[in-house]
Amino acid sequence: MNDRLTAVYASIDALVDYALVHLDLDPRNADWARNRIFALFDLDSYPGAEAVSCRPCRGEDCCAQGPEGSVGRARIVPDALLSAFRAAAVDCGLFEAQEGPMYADIVMGLLSANPADLDDRFLLVEHRDGGMAAMQWFYDYCVANNYVKRAQLDRNPRFDSHGLTVTINLAKPEFKNMKKAAAGNAVAGGYPKCTICHENEGFAGRDKRTLRTLPVTLGGESWFWQFSPYGYFDQHGICVNTDHTPMHVDRDTFGHLLDFVDRFPGYFLGCNAALPRIGGSVLAHDHYQGGGELLPMHKAATWSAFTLADYPDAVVEILDWPGTAVRVVSKNRQSIIDVSDIIREAWVGYDDAANGIASHDADGNRQSALSPSAIITERGYEMSLIFRNNAISDEYPEGVFHAHPEYWPVKQEPIGLIEAQGLFILPGRLVDQLGIVEEALAEGRDLPDEVSEFSLEWGELAETLAGNRDREAIRQAIHDELGSVCYRILGNTAVFKQKATTQTFLGSLGFAAR
């Protein structure tokens, strides 16, 4: 057996050893799992583990450790082992280099536990240690089996600015409008019906062999949870209706969100407004988003607080926030649902010509919607309600309450739930573009032609820096500028440009200042 083939066998052995330690592979199934991988490439000259394999992986040397998880232990990622496998297999002519990601997905899918066994293990951990410990275990598993691309996520630039968190996602494609986003999430052929249907679990056609989901019951209905492979924040995932039914926000939505945080009190869960241009790109399938990190809006200060006579145990707070948002707070679950739905029903039918708000367009299509988000704190339940409207005009054909054109070089995509709550996901192209801007500022040159669309940002940066060419000062100024632009974009999305207008709206529903 030649050295190249020996390297292939050694890389497969290392992956099987990794699965024994990190993917709950039963030792009784080790030979069977190894042989399934051999079958992919018609390998039949295996001389035995003693002849080719490194020592069993114990989370050291052979496999990389990612950053610490929320409970302080290092997450194990298989990137180094998969890189070695791909390199050995390509060198041996088993597949082409560009096929490497697909074969990595195939191999890790074979080594991962089946969904039923994972569900059973989750329930055991939850029964013993609670829902949050079980979610932490499940997340770590999804990192370990390479569905969650943690190593790639950790390379995304991230910083705080102007009370917001700004990230540049190097893996996410940029969809500049909802039509393109919907096309990017469409599935040709009718199976699965969309990119988030449960039938995607293990589906080779979309490289979902390593996807594993978790059954969840919301409002007595069957839903399921899955983590996002390129999450925007820690433990980012989606909760999806098992039935392929259109997105909607109604009274039941508030109960669903509370059901979820009751079971997983360290997470938040919310949803996009169920209308085009102001939220998610998969409007055909009802789903929520959430995860293990509170976003900036969850921590926003209160501008003013109000109560409703029939619900004295609930407080409604207008948030000190650039978008239009209120927060309903109560220890009483029913009060949260009732008060939130009073506001929802009023907003979706609200017309205010003086402030440019029309609940429906000229053809009778609804334009206003709420985007809710629930958490549990020491104060009780907190339901944030973001007011959205998807009206368009000749001046703003992509949306009146959308990022205005002067900010499109930074962000042109629709502003969904996550960004409306203060975590901005900017396109990967900015790394190169802002690098060019940085070089020009450091060298004292004019704005380069290839990034001429950043004239607004350039002018503001030049004023801030006032000729300072220090690299660190320039980078900090660029971060501040991005945060400032994102803050102004949230201002564009605000349906009420003044907090007092939000107060007037609540007053019309009978809310009184505390």
Side-chain angles (χ1 to χ4, degrees), residues 197-217:
C197 280
H198 191 268
E199 290 81 0
N200 284 283
E201 188 171 35
F203 183 57
R206 295 189 65 82
D207 288 334
K208 296 292 185 180
R209 301 166 187 87
T210 55
L211 169 62
R212 298 296 183 266
T213 68
L214 171 72
V216 177
T217 299

Side-chain angles (χ1 to χ4, degrees), residues 428-468:
R429 61 175 169 78
L430 285 177
V431 170
D432 290 337
Q433 291 174 322
L434 295 178
I436 294 171
V437 169
E438 179 186 321
E439 286 294 325
L441 287 167
E443 296 172 7
R445 295 186 283 114
D446 292 335
L447 178 65
D449 290 341
E450 63 264 41
V451 288
S452 60
E453 65 269 30
F454 291 88
S455 59
L456 170 67
E457 292 76 15
W458 176 270
E460 293 176 347
L461 285 167
E463 182 177 352
T464 297
L465 290 165
N468 187 343

Side-chain angles (χ1 to χ4, degrees), residues 394-416:
D394 291 340
E395 183 179 5
Y396 299 114
E398 295 294 332
V400 174
F401 302 103
H402 173 62
H404 288 180
E406 62 267 29
Y407 304 128
W408 286 358
V410 171
K411 178 74 175 180
Q412 187 172 346
E413 294 173 300
I415 304 302

Side-chain angles (χ1 to χ4, degrees), residues 177-179 273-281 283 361 365-367 388-393 396-403 412-416 493:
N177 58 54
M178 290 312 299
K179 186 176 293 185
L275 292 175
R277 292 190 299 277
I278 53 174
S281 57
L283 296 178
D361 65 18
N365 299 307
R366 186 163 61 86
Q367 297 186 141
R388 305 301 304 271
N389 183 283
N390 75 346
I392 60 174
S393 67
Y396 299 114
E398 295 294 332
V400 174
F401 302 103
H402 173 62
Q412 187 172 346
E413 294 173 300
I415 304 302
T493 70

Side-chain angles (χ1 to χ4, degrees), residues 1-2 5-14 16-17 30-31 34-35 38 43-56:
M1 185 170 60
N2 62 47
L5 194 54
T6 298
V8 171
Y9 282 125
S11 69
I12 293 173
D13 273 348
V16 172
D17 291 339
D31 287 339
R34 183 183 288 105
N35 288 333
F38 290 167
L43 296 173
D44 57 7
S45 57
Y46 180 60
E50 296 78 8
V52 299
S53 182
C54 67
R55 62 173 176 75

